[in-house]
Amino acid sequence: MLFNSWSFAVFLPVVFALHYAGRRAGWQVGVLTVASFVFYGWENPRLLPLLFVSTLVNGLAAQDLLSAGRTAGRRKLVLSLALAFNLGALAFFKYAALVGSVLLPALLWKQVGPWLRDIPLPIGISFYTFQGISLVMESWWDGPKGGIRGLPAPANRREAGWFQAKVWFFKAFFPQLVAGPIVKAGEFLWQIGPKRLADVDWDGAVKKLVLGFFLKMVVADNLKDATADLNLAAFRELPRLNLVALLYGFSFQILADFGGYSLIAQGLAKLFGYELPLNFNFPYLSRSITEFWRRWHISLSTWLRMYLYIPLGGNRHGEARTYVNLFLVMFLGGLWHGAAWSYAVWGTAHGTLLALERLLSRAGKSGEQPGWTWLGAIRAFLVFNVVSALWLLFKLPEFSHVVEFVKCLVNNPGGVRPQPLYVIGLFSLPVVLWHLWSAAAPLRARLSASRQGQLETCLYAAMLFLLVTNAGSAGDFIYFQF
């Protein structure tokens, strides 16, 4: 079910009313859990068994890891089996074709390749699988302490039932189920409890929902149509300036699309009394690639740091090992986005840039200064252009198409087709202004509170007006494919 669909417009108020119809945590958790499975299976009920099994396996594994009296050998076995299940399911549905094309002999690949390529990709599997890994890893770490924050080890059958109810709710909570933010167990489970309608943060929820829907429906959906020519059949015929505009247009589109989804998810969670982590923090203001990854898809970068980079050794074993860890984490982070070599190249490129920045920083050549200077603005512009160029690997997952685009960028004729440039410029402008609004925070602070409130009211009213009058054609969120 899409957030920007009429079915969701009916679904949300019904679930909201049922949720607050009861005051007990058990009722509210039950309502939201059932509603989340309905939400996930609305258009394709065949997706439900995998989510059901994933939740069941991770819930039972977490309960076992947190239970008292388990031997070290049993705990290691349970952890290994749970991780093998999570990674195995992800590998089968997402990477079977890629792995098969590399490892299988040509004759065998010819026989089984078509079948492997036809394995359907369950929507959101990367997100809820990573949440499952978070649950079992935190249960492994915190088991000797008696439980994760908000999920103590059950002492009897009744507590075991409530334990599993919390796990099922955590895994399935619909606002973030299919495209994040990736919620870690310890930052969500402690929030589970009875919620009151009187405590709803209406101001925060409405603002996030309006901005999120505006970014998705007005900005991203209109840019989606404007960047439709970013495919092999179309871009071969375009002038160079139009090709550059397509790159910039997609850069703004992917931020508006994914950032819009995350804001909608946060706003919806607030309606039910829950807080989801920040996922985007004006990433195109970044003055380095390192800063970019502190601002872009924050829940993924922190997940990779906590559950991959640090367990690999982080920066604790010398510079050479640190660089290897950076390369490996970013390579795997690239592959997390899809089973195509262009994603791996994208991740490797970012890993290379992160390592290079670290090297320059150690040499004293790359210090970041607080506040904004002309040098900082130039660096932010350069980082934005590097990041935008690398987004080409997202839009064109066939690496040969990326190479062809670069050739066209060099060899295609000059001139311009003005209409696409006008549309891209017009619908990219809100993202630019959104970032400038953040950068101008010191200037806005000089205004009185009433003036700031009036200005914000006008901006949100304008966004609501544009939502009604200038929404683009509805489309899936880009990150649904991951």
Side-chain angles (χ1 to χ4, degrees):
M1 188 182 299
L2 293 174
F3 289 158
N4 52 335
S5 65
W6 288 110
S7 54
F8 185 76
V10 175
F11 170 86
L12 179 61
V14 170
V15 175
F16 183 84
L18 288 173
H19 175 261
Y20 287 108
R23 296 183 179 181
R24 293 182 179 273
W27 166 268
Q28 294 177 341
V29 166
V31 167
L32 287 178
T33 303
V34 172
S36 296
F37 276 88
V38 171
F39 172 87
Y40 186 68
W42 183 258
E43 294 183 6
N44 188 359
R46 291 178 298 175
L47 295 172
L48 289 172
L50 180 60
L51 178 59
F52 182 93
V53 173
S54 175
T55 306
L56 180 66
V57 169
N58 285 292
L60 293 176
Q63 182 174 337
D64 199 274
L65 289 168
L66 291 172
S67 297
R70 298 294 191 260
T71 64
R74 172 165 176 153
R75 296 187 78 244
K76 288 181 180 178
L77 177 61
V78 171
L79 175 67
S80 300
L81 291 174
L83 292 178
F85 168 80
N86 282 294
L87 296 175
L90 192 61
F92 175 76
F93 285 101
K94 199 163 186 176
Y95 305 110
L98 179 65
V99 174
S101 66
V102 174
L103 299 181
L104 294 179
L107 185 60
L108 182 58
W109 171 249
K110 186 176 181 180
Q111 299 297 320
V112 302
W115 179 79
L116 292 177
R117 284 193 291 265
D118 288 340
I119 294 175
L121 178 63
I123 188 171
I125 186 173
S126 296
F127 290 91
Y128 66 72
T129 297
F130 271 27
Q131 284 188 218
I133 293 174
S134 165
L135 177 66
V136 296
M137 287 300 299
E138 292 190 40
S139 299
W140 164 259
W141 291 331
D142 296 337
K145 304 174 186 176
I148 304 171
R149 182 188 180 194
L151 193 69
N156 52 54
R157 183 172 297 180
R158 181 177 180 180
E159 290 184 7
W162 182 230
F163 180 102
Q164 291 299 327
K166 285 185 174 183
V167 168
W168 283 69
F169 176 48
F170 161 69
K171 282 275 289 181
F173 189 38
F174 75 87
Q176 48 77 52
L177 175 59
V178 293
I182 301 169
V183 183
K184 296 185 285 295
E187 65 188 5
F188 184 84
L189 289 164
W190 67 269
Q191 299 183 53
I192 298 176
K195 307 296 182 181
R196 298 192 313 157
L197 183 60
D199 295 333
V200 173
D201 178 12
W202 289 104
D203 184 66
V206 170
K207 284 182 176 179
K208 287 187 180 295
L209 288 170
V210 171
L211 178 57
F213 277 112
F214 172 78
L215 288 173
K216 167 57 180 171
M217 297 175 65
V218 176
V219 178
D221 283 346
N222 279 295
L223 286 174
K224 165 181 62 66
D225 298 330
T227 60
D229 284 343
L230 198 50
N231 65 78
L232 185 64
F235 66 64
R236 283 174 168 167
E237 310 299 325
L238 294 176
R240 287 195 296 267
L241 187 58
N242 285 80
L243 295 179
V244 173
L246 286 175
L247 271 181
Y248 284 128
F250 183 72
S251 183
F252 290 119
Q253 178 195 342
I254 194 171
L255 173 57
D257 192 279
F258 194 19
Y261 182 97
S262 296
L263 286 165
I264 294 169
Q266 288 179 294
L268 292 172
K270 278 181 174 292
L271 291 178
F272 296 100
Y274 294 91
E275 295 290 334
L276 298 181
L278 179 70
N279 213 21
F280 291 87
N281 185 23
F282 303 99
Y284 291 160
L285 293 178
S286 304
R287 284 159 281 190
S288 67
I289 298 298
T290 303
E291 184 182 357
F292 174 79
W293 279 104
R294 296 188 188 122
R295 291 172 174 268
W296 174 274
H297 203 348
I298 300 169
S299 64
L300 174 62
S301 58
T302 55
W303 192 101
L304 291 172
R305 178 178 175 80
M306 179 178 291
Y307 301 111
L308 189 57
Y309 180 70
I310 292 176
L312 285 172
N315 59 0
R316 301 188 303 273
H317 302 291
E319 284 301 302
R321 177 68 177 273
T322 300
Y323 295 142
V324 171
N325 290 342
L326 282 173
F327 280 119
L328 182 59
V329 168
M330 294 308 299
F331 173 80
L332 294 175
L335 279 182
W336 175 87
H337 288 84
W341 289 117
S342 58
Y343 292 120
V345 173
W346 173 84
T348 302
H350 275 275
T352 303
L353 292 168
L354 288 171
L356 181 60
E357 285 183 353
R358 182 180 177 85
L359 181 63
L360 292 174
S361 178
R362 285 180 60 82
K365 299 178 180 179
S366 182
E368 290 183 16
Q369 301 297 322
W372 280 98
T373 63
W374 282 107
L375 179 59
I378 292 171
R379 288 175 59 183
F381 179 72
L382 292 175
V383 169
F384 166 70
N385 279 276
V386 170
V387 168
S388 296
L390 290 174
W391 284 136
L392 183 63
L393 295 161
F394 261 67
K395 184 64 174 176
L396 303 173
E398 289 288 338
F399 194 71
S400 60
H401 295 186
V402 176
V403 174
E404 184 66 23
F405 182 91
V406 174
K407 290 179 179 178
C408 292
L409 201 57
V410 175
N411 299 323
N412 279 19
V416 63
R417 296 183 184 178
Q419 179 64 20
L421 265 64
Y422 167 77
V423 175
I424 290 172
L426 178 64
F427 289 103
S428 297
L429 183 60
V431 181
V432 176
L433 295 176
W434 183 40
H435 281 69
L436 291 177
W437 173 265
S438 175
L443 297 176
R444 288 189 285 111
R446 299 176 184 177
L447 299 174
S448 65
S450 60
R451 281 290 180 87
Q452 291 188 52
Q454 291 170 359
L455 182 58
E456 283 195 4
T457 300
C458 291
L459 289 174
Y460 281 101
M463 285 189 282
L464 279 171
F465 174 77
L466 292 171
L467 268 169
V468 174
T469 60
N470 285 277
S473 59
D476 287 348
F477 289 86
I478 291 174
Y479 264 68
F480 277 16
Q481 64 185 299
F482 305 135

